[in-house]
Every structure is written in structure tokens, then in C-alpha cells.
Amino acid sequence: PDSPTAMKVMQRYVQALRPIVGPGAKFAVQSAASAYSVAPNATERLPRHLADWDAALNTADWFEAVTIHVWARSWPGENPPGTDTREGMFRYQMARAVSGIDRVVAEVAGRFPGKEIWVTEWHAGGGFPDHPGTYQLTTPPMAAQGAARMLLGFLRHPEITKTFFFTANFEFHNYSEFVRAADGSWDPTPTALIVSWFAHAANAGGTFQRVVEQGETPIAGDRVIGDSYLPIEGGVLKGGGRTVLIVQNTSADDRLFDPRDGGRLAAPAATDLLTTPDINDVQQHAASPQSLATGGAVTLPPLSVVRIIWNGDVDVVPR
């Protein structure tokens, strides 16, 4: 019914479980993440309940983390201004994946200093298992691009220590992230492939450095809250004996990048490019990444994500 009541119940569970799981275990309480999607002037019952839940949620020394759920798309019955087309919904989704994450992390971290943030549900698009007939403007290519931008958003915030992609199902309406191949095996969709790229790079531990294009103009995506995003976004991840550069191009133009920086750097060990050029494609397809030659410049077409891997610690300066 409200967060103070729930907190009392959760604390009793912690008191009972702590002697069993030991002092090293971490417990989390749940924020409603209202700063992510609830407009300041919202009057509907559910948004106000979420906002009231967070307003009454207080920090305490008996838990170590706070969980949030962030979904970069609209809900049934929600019609944000400007989202009546796929292009408008894409801008809305991308902006929520950037500004929305920044906003909710700032709010939660500000009220719970020193606590970890666990994103125990996140997804960038798709239908609803309990509303299979719901029409969604978010297509599989849009979901893939949204996943890349959300992961880049999570990595910018050291407070976020765990994320759980929700959900990577098999053969489920609008939720399946795998496609059955002719031999009966399963191939990842573009969204699942992107998640695996980030997991491969980030789960080894190490460091993350944000990459953006100098002089970029933010693109507005939400007229109510004012969220926006940059056309080019990426990051350098170092750890596990390798350096990985992941860059996303959501602009309408090609971008050119020289992984060797004019011969200053060694050739990368691998370069993979994934493109999802048609955001109007409603069919779920297996991902078709391209393995590019590692000796020359790389062209990033619109609506693409590139992954470049070097062995060892490489001083990458994207430009």
C-alpha cells in the first residue's frame, strides 16, 4: 500500500535472513523509480502512487542497495506528445534511455548516499505478455538501438552495479530475443547480440570512459519532461586483458573512424558492425553482424553499433 509499510516488512525479512546468509550478503529495497517516467504534474492514480511511494522512502543502515525498473518505451494507454509515429517514438525512447536514466540515478543516489543501485528490470521495447493485443510503435530494430543506449547510460553511473535485462525469452509474443534456426538451434536477435557485446566487455570489470562527438546538438525526445539524447554515443571499456570500444550512430549520416589512429595504435583484434537500418520492420530477425577488416577505417552507417576489440590496454582516443 505504501513504502513505509513495505519497508517494515522488508526489514523483518532482513533480520531473519541475515544470520543465515552471513554479514557479506547485500539486501535491497525497491524504489518506484518515479523520477524516471512520472511527469511532475501527473494526476493519474498510478503515477501519483509511484511518486508518493518514493517520497516516503527513506534510507537506513539495514540495507545496502536500492532497486529500480526502467523501461524505455510507453505503456498501454499512454500517448506522450509526438509519439504517434515510429520516428517520434524512437526519439522518445532514446531520450528516455539517456536523460531518464540520468534523472532517476541522480534522484535515488541523492536520497540514498552510499547505496548501490540495482536495475532489476530493464528493457527497451516490445509488447506485453499480459496484453498480447496491445499495439506498440516500438519495433525490434528500435528495441535493439534502445538497448545499446540504455546500457551506455547505465555504465555512465558507478552507482549502478547490477542490471538485469528483462526479459530474454524464447518464442514468446513480442518478447522473444532468440530466433530458431533451420537446424533447431537458437540465434540471437540484434537486441540480444548487443546485450552480449556489453556483457562481454563490462562483466570483466575494469573501467568505462564515455565517448561522444564534439559539438553534437542534443535531439529532443520528450516534450513533457524535456528528455533528449545525442546522435553519437559510445564508450571505451578496459578490463579482462582487452580494450573494447562500442559506438552507436543514431544520426542520419555516416561516421568514419580509424581504429589505428593514423598508425599510432596497433590493429584491433576484431571489428564487428551491426546495422538495423529500417525502424519500421516489425518482424523479429536473427542478428546479422559483419566482421570487418581490422587494418583500415570503419564506416558507421545510420542506426548502427560497432564493437572494436584490442588485446591489452590500448590508449584509444575516438575522434
Side-chain angles (χ1 to χ4, degrees), residues 103-126:
R103 182 173 55 253
V104 72
V105 170
E107 195 275 335
V108 174
R111 288 193 302 113
F112 298 92
K115 305 294 187 183
E116 296 181 22
I117 297 176
W118 299 349
V119 185
T120 46
E121 285 188 21
W122 75 269
H123 199 276

Side-chain angles (χ1 to χ4, degrees), residues 271-286:
T271 300
D272 301 299
L273 178 69
L274 179 68
T275 60
T276 61
D278 183 9
I279 65 170
N280 293 301
D281 187 356
V282 298
Q283 299 300 315
Q284 191 71 285
H285 304 286

Side-chain angles (χ1 to χ4, degrees), residues 16-300:
L17 288 168
R18 183 72 75 181
I20 300 171
V21 299
K26 294 180 179 180
F27 289 87
V29 300
Q30 184 160 358
S31 163
S34 59
Y36 181 68
S37 58
V38 176
N41 59 347
T43 58
E44 295 84 356
R45 181 179 178 277
L46 178 57
R48 291 314 317 163
H49 180 63
L50 299 177
D52 292 343
W53 178 282
D54 284 341
L57 194 62
N58 295 311
T59 191
D61 59 5
W62 54 267
F63 62 89
E64 291 75 31
V66 180
T67 70
I68 61 174
H69 297 169
V70 288
W71 293 65
R73 46 96 174 110
S74 65
W75 299 87
E78 178 185 347
N79 297 296
T83 60
D84 53 347
T85 66
R86 288 208 170 98
E87 290 75 13
M89 180 60 77
F90 180 68
R91 291 190 294 270
Y92 173 83
Q93 166 188 294
M94 296 297 291
R96 181 171 278 193
V98 178
S99 297
I101 290 173
D102 291 346
R103 182 173 55 253
V104 72
V105 170
E107 195 275 335
V108 174
R111 288 193 302 113
F112 298 92
K115 305 294 187 183
E116 296 181 22
I117 297 176
W118 299 349
V119 185
T120 46
E121 285 188 21
W122 75 269
H123 199 276
F128 288 80
D130 51 344
H131 296 277
T134 300
Y135 174 65
Q136 284 287 311
L137 284 171
T138 302
T139 62
M142 292 164 62
Q145 295 294 330
R149 192 56 61 105
M150 293 188 78
L151 285 161
L152 288 166
F154 297 151
L155 285 163
R156 288 202 311 273
H157 296 285
E159 300 92 341
I160 296 179
T161 59
K162 301 179 187 298
T163 66
F164 179 72
F165 179 68
F166 189 92
T167 181
N169 284 338
F170 294 77
E171 294 188 317
F172 199 79
H173 179 78
N174 277 359
Y175 263 71
S176 176
E177 296 299 348
F178 300 90
V179 177
R180 190 184 291 276
D183 64 358
S185 63
W186 295 93
D187 291 328
T189 65
T191 300
L193 181 68
I194 284 173
V195 172
S196 74
W197 281 2
F198 278 91
H200 174 263
N203 287 354
T207 63
F208 172 80
Q209 177 186 350
R210 186 185 186 189
V211 172
V212 297
E213 197 173 41
Q214 292 294 326
E216 282 188 293
T217 300
I219 298 173
D222 187 322
R223 301 177 189 174
V224 177
I225 300 179
D227 288 346
S228 63
Y229 65 99
L230 296 175
I232 310 295
E233 182 91 32
V236 177
L237 299 103
K238 296 183 179 182
R242 59 181 176 261
T243 298
V244 181
L245 170 66
I246 298 177
V247 179
Q248 179 187 31
N249 179 11
T250 61
S251 75
D253 304 307
D254 290 345
R255 290 295 192 275
L256 190 67
F257 174 65
D258 178 8
R260 299 200 61 188
D261 196 15
R264 183 179 67 87
L265 302 177
T271 300
D272 301 299
L273 178 69
L274 179 68
T275 60
T276 61
D278 183 9
I279 65 170
N280 293 301
D281 187 356
V282 298
Q283 299 300 315
Q284 191 71 285
H285 304 286
S288 299
Q290 298 173 262
S291 294
L292 306 180
T294 58
V298 176
T299 298
L300 281 70

